[in-house]
């Protein structure tokens, strides 16, 4: 069974990029080589700051979509492994 990787890259401009792949090392090299024209290609170099392994591609895709919608603070809590802060940030709702 193939492994799938959810990953977060920190870009040169300190922004984050989230993606999935079945070959993490190769994908990071491809990002840094500018093969993918888009978000990361204008923010090189990128550095891997988080990854998680999945057996199910659909679960990896769901997690990627979820994290892409997170605030910077939530992404940084995940990267740091601060699950208490992540839980607190998840409870906060914007009041209008």
């Amino acid at each position: 069974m193939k492994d799938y990787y959810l990953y977060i890259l920190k870009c040169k401009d300190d922004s984050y990029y989230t993606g999935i792949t079945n070959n993490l090392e190769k994908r990071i090299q491809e990002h840094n080589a500018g093969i993918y024209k888009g978000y990361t290609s204008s923010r090189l170099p990128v550095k891997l700051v988080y990854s998680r392994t999945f057996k199910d591609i659909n679960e990896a895709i769901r997690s990627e979509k979820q994290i892409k919608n997170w605030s910077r603070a939530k992404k940084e809590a995940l990267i740091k492994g601060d699950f208490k802060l992540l839980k607190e940030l998840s409870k906060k709702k914007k009041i209008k």
Side-chain angles (χ1 to χ4, degrees):
M1 183 175 265
K2 189 176 272 194
D3 286 337
Y4 299 94
Y5 304 91
L6 165 82
Y7 62 93
I8 300 176
L9 303 176
K10 188 168 190 177
C11 301
K12 183 179 180 181
D13 67 356
D14 285 333
S15 64
Y16 293 111
Y17 175 83
T18 305
I20 59 170
T21 184
N22 63 7
N23 187 329
L24 188 56
E25 187 175 315
K26 180 181 176 191
R27 181 59 56 94
I28 294 165
Q29 290 173 354
E30 290 170 343
H31 276 291
N32 276 316
I35 290 173
Y36 298 105
K37 302 302 176 201
Y39 190 84
T40 60
S41 64
S42 63
R43 295 166 171 85
L44 298 175
V46 296
K47 177 183 171 187
L48 179 68
V49 293
Y50 176 84
S51 68
R52 180 175 169 200
T53 306
F54 292 86
K55 296 291 183 193
D56 179 356
I57 183 68
N58 295 309
E59 189 178 342
I61 292 168
R62 279 191 298 276
S63 292
E64 176 194 22
K65 288 179 179 179
Q66 180 183 35
I67 291 170
K68 280 186 173 189
N69 288 319
W70 284 3
S71 66
R72 180 178 183 87
K74 282 180 76 171
K75 289 176 187 174
E76 289 180 343
L78 177 65
I79 291 164
K80 292 175 186 172
D82 189 341
F83 299 107
K84 182 179 178 186
L85 177 59
L86 184 58
K87 189 174 181 178
E88 288 173 22
L89 291 169
S90 295
K91 289 179 182 178
K92 292 185 178 183
K93 302 284 182 196
K94 292 185 179 182
I95 300 171
K96 294 183 179 183

